[in-house]
Amino acid sequence: MGGIGGLGGVSGMGGIMTPQLSVQLDSAVVWLRADSLTGADGSAITTWANEGTGADFTQATADLKPTLQTAEQNGVAVVRFDGVNDYLAGPALGFTGSYSIFTAIVARGMANAEYIFECGATGTSSINAYMWDNANANVTAGCRNADDLAYLEDNETCAFTADTAYRISLLFNSTTQLVTAQVNGTGTGTSATTLPNTAGTQVTNLAANRTPGGYGQLDICEFLAFGSALTAAQITLVNNYLSAKWGI
């Protein structure tokens, strides 16, 4: 856990990292990089160390562990989830106001709702993003407060294709109370919602919903969560970093 400061020396980042971006990434609550993991190709992942300020993401049950796939997306390692029961569990994000969440993924299956992540307590609240195949593939993302889900869908400009990499961001501004989802830097829509509800025992699951009962067949390359509304310039920095690193 904790920020890692001078990132120019981190493997694979020398030509991507700038001082401004280094400071930005160090402020993340969650920062998970697949290229930070070590192990043989196909090895099971028990712990994905969080380089942000929060706790690590873990899975103790052997049958539920995702695997490390080396030299995959843009020649960089990814974490692969089978869409059947694999997931990693982490702590509550703890956001009570604005937040900015970014992830780089590779879509693998498009069978139904393919969960990327969900944070919340069962029956009370959640922040989530998932891919949904309902005639036309699209992204659904939102902030759920009690039983009211403000969600975003797009059946045209954000169709997902299996075995293709995407950048997805979920941006919530507590002042305007608007949540915006973007795929590869293109907005899929903006919807009104309310502040995140932090009631109950909160969890954050990767590649699963909060129960968990729904899963996602996908590779997660990188996952970043900030407890603030990033500026347009900061969003561009993070998106450019993910694009260059993962070839998206």
Side-chain angles (χ1 to χ4, degrees):
M1 294 185 294
I4 57 177
L7 297 174
V10 176
S11 176
M13 293 190 184
I16 301 172
M17 196 59 56
T18 66
Q20 294 88 347
L21 180 58
S22 175
V23 171
Q24 186 61 44
L25 296 183
D26 268 358
S27 70
V29 175
V30 178
W31 184 18
L32 304 172
R33 298 187 295 116
D35 58 322
S36 72
L37 297 167
T38 59
D41 187 52
S43 58
I45 296 172
T46 300
T47 300
W48 196 349
N50 181 10
E51 296 178 57
T53 60
D56 298 338
F57 282 66
T58 61
Q59 180 54 261
T61 304
D63 185 50
L64 308 183
K65 295 180 181 182
T67 58
L68 176 66
Q69 304 293 322
T70 61
E72 283 282 337
Q73 179 60 31
N74 207 31
V76 185
V78 301
V79 176
R80 181 159 297 168
F81 298 84
D82 64 7
V84 177
N85 57 9
D86 289 355
Y87 75 101
L88 289 171
L93 295 177
F95 298 155
T96 58
S98 298
Y99 58 79
S100 306
I101 299 173
F102 303 82
T103 187
I105 67 161
V106 181
R108 293 300 180 192
M110 290 304 304
N112 202 331
E114 303 289 347
Y115 275 89
I116 301 167
F117 80 95
E118 184 163 39
C119 173
T122 301
T124 58
S125 62
S126 73
I127 301 168
N128 61 53
Y130 55 92
M131 297 172 287
W132 176 261
D133 185 11
N134 184 8
N136 295 294
N138 57 76
V139 62
T140 298
C143 174
R144 177 187 173 99
N145 190 359
D147 291 323
D148 299 320
L149 177 63
Y151 65 92
L152 311 165
E153 293 186 357
D154 191 287
N155 293 321
E156 299 173 0
T157 61
C158 298
F160 287 87
T161 302
D163 302 319
T164 302
Y166 297 94
R167 283 185 294 106
I168 297 172
S169 60
L170 186 60
L171 311 168
F172 174 64
N173 187 307
S174 62
T175 301
T176 62
Q177 297 207 350
L178 295 175
V179 59
T180 301
Q182 296 180 343
V183 176
N184 292 346
T186 299
T188 68
T190 299
S191 180
T193 186
T194 54
L195 294 174
N197 186 330
T198 57
T201 302
Q202 303 272 319
V203 297
T204 303
N205 289 333
L206 295 182
N209 62 8
R210 58 207 158 128
T211 311
Y215 301 90
Q217 185 179 0
L218 72 158
D219 298 344
I220 296 183
C221 308
E222 196 148 350
F223 185 88
L224 291 138
F226 301 87
S228 63
L230 300 191
T231 66
Q234 291 170 330
I235 292 170
T236 297
L237 276 175
V238 176
N239 279 333
N240 287 349
Y241 157 70
L242 293 174
S243 292
K245 180 177 178 181
W246 297 105
I248 302 172

